[in-house]
């Protein structure tokens, strides 16, 4: 489906899944607003490169999504938001009784509350345009739990709940809201953990990936950023117009276990 004439705002999109999603939306013809909390020359250069590669308009807008007012300002500055992809997220791993308060607050703010603020700011724009799609990048951890990931699991379950409420509040309008729940995705962040994990377990790369990192992913394959992007494009298509308030797992069977 062509998304010519639509503008997509993708949060946390200067790397990883967000960038992969932005690329697939641009490939489908959407203009883009990409975002992160940094304001480096390379962030703006990335926007220019994407625009050139796909022949669409791409703007980079800096916003620190740990702050409510900046999350809302991102959408206001975008000015138009037909497709909103809430993707920005961070992780911290520690037992509950040792979990640093500032990490809990940051994860809840960035991974969950920012999606509330951007959605609140974007819905009036979607209503005015008479069409809208909200795609929340949750996680297999929005449906299941792992020890030591209290803030992340709480935030991602929260995002799944917010997805359902947004869908119900827009059910009689041409607006949908769904969550994608990826399993382990090979992003630069995950790639960077491989050498250390190889050392820690004294294993080769393939063994570390299959036995340690993908222990809970029955396919024993990473999901790719292109697959998450393709799923987003599908959720924005006419075929998905009656899909709302649900989760789509892209997790190699993780949540079937
Ligand atoms: P990543 O670190 O490559 O990307 C995270 C993005 O969020 C980056 O662009 C970063 O700049 C941005 N970001 C972080 N803090 C921000 C802030 N305060 N304000 C604005 N932007 C901020 O990680 P990723 O693996 O691509 O993760 C993207 C999303 O996918 C996250 O929500 C993550 O929880 C989710 N996810 C990832 C995996 C995986 O295996 N990689 C699996 C399931 C879900």
């Amino acid at each position: 489906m062509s998304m010519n004439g639509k503008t997509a705002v993708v949060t946390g999109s200067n790397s990883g899944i967000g960038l992969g999603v932005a690329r697939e939306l641009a490939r489908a013809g959407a203009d883009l607003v990409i975002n992160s909390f940094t304001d480096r020359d390379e962030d703006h250069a990335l926007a220019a490169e994407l625009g050139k590669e796909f022949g669409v308009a791409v703007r980079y807008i800096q916003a620190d999504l740990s702050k409510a007012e900046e999350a809302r300002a991102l959408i206001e500055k975008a000015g138009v938001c037909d497709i909103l992809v809430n993707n920005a997220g961070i992780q911290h791993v520690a037992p509950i009784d040792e979990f640093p308060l500032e990490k809990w607050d940051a994860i809840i703010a960035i991974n969950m509350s920012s999606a509330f603020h951007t959605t609140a700011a974007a819905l009036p724009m979607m209503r005015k345009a008479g069409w809208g799609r909200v795609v929340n990048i949750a996680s297999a951890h929005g449906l299941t739990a792992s020890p030591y990931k209290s803030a992340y699991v709480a935030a991602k379950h929260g995002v799944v709940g917010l997805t359902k409420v947004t869908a119900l509040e827009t059910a009689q309008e041409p607006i949908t809201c769904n969550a994608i729940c990826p399993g382990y995705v090979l992003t630069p962040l995950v790639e960077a953990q491989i050498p250390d994990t190889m050392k820690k377990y004294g294993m080769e790369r393939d063994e570390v990936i299959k036995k340690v990192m993908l222990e809970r992913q029955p396919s024993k394959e990473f999901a790719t950023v292109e697959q998450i992007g393709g799923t987003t494009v599908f959720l924005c298509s006419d075929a998905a117009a009656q899909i709302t308030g649900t989760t789509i797992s892209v997790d190699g069977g993780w949540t079937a276990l």
Side-chain angles (χ1 to χ4, degrees), residues 10 12-24 34 46 50 87:
V10 185
S13 45
N14 64 352
S15 84
I17 293 174
L19 179 56
V21 168
R23 288 180 58 82
E24 294 313 309
I34 59 169
L46 176 64
L50 287 172
N87 167 77

Side-chain angles (χ1 to χ4, degrees), residues 11-18 35-38 63-67 86-90 110-111 137-141 152 156 180-190 222 225:
T11 70
S13 45
N14 64 352
S15 84
I17 293 174
N35 149 267
S36 183
F37 59 92
T38 49
D64 179 351
L65 299 180
S66 65
K67 301 188 173 87
N86 288 306
N87 167 77
I90 58 168
I110 297 166
N111 297 22
I137 306 299
S139 167
H141 281 116
Y152 189 86
K156 293 297 186 181
I180 298 177
C181 293
Y184 239 121
V185 183
L186 191 54
T187 60
L189 198 82
V190 172
F222 285 112
V225 299

Side-chain angles (χ1 to χ4, degrees), residues 15-55:
S15 84
I17 293 174
L19 179 56
V21 168
R23 288 180 58 82
E24 294 313 309
L25 287 167
R27 197 188 305 284
D31 293 328
L32 293 176
V33 170
I34 59 169
N35 149 267
S36 183
F37 59 92
T38 49
D39 195 14
R40 307 164 301 181
D41 288 347
E42 61 200 86
D43 295 320
H44 297 275
L46 176 64
E49 277 165 33
L50 287 172
K52 211 170 149 198
E53 183 176 351
F54 296 105

Side-chain angles (χ1 to χ4, degrees), residues 45-116:
L46 176 64
E49 277 165 33
L50 287 172
K52 211 170 149 198
E53 183 176 351
F54 296 105
V56 295
V58 185
R59 287 175 287 158
Y60 178 84
I61 301 180
Q62 184 266 345
D64 179 351
L65 299 180
S66 65
K67 301 188 173 87
E69 61 281 10
E70 292 201 25
R72 287 174 187 254
L74 167 65
I75 305 300
E76 301 306 333
K77 283 181 192 162
V80 52
C81 181
D82 304 301
I83 298 164
L84 170 64
V85 182
N86 288 306
N87 167 77
I90 58 168
Q91 175 65 286
H92 186 79
V93 178
I96 291 177
D97 52 340
E98 292 170 19
F99 211 92
L101 178 59
E102 67 280 7
K103 292 286 183 197
W104 170 273
D105 287 344
I107 291 174
I108 296 297
I110 297 166
N111 297 22
M112 186 181 75
S113 300
S114 74
F116 165 72

Side-chain angles (χ1 to χ4, degrees), residues 194 197-198 201-215 220:
I194 295 176
T197 319
M198 283 167 63
Y201 289 90
M203 288 179 180
E204 293 301 312
R205 182 187 161 89
D206 259 19
E207 213 183 351
V208 153
I209 289 173
K210 290 197 163 57
K211 291 194 179 152
V212 182
M213 303 185 97
L214 297 178
E215 193 211 340
K220 302 297 170 200

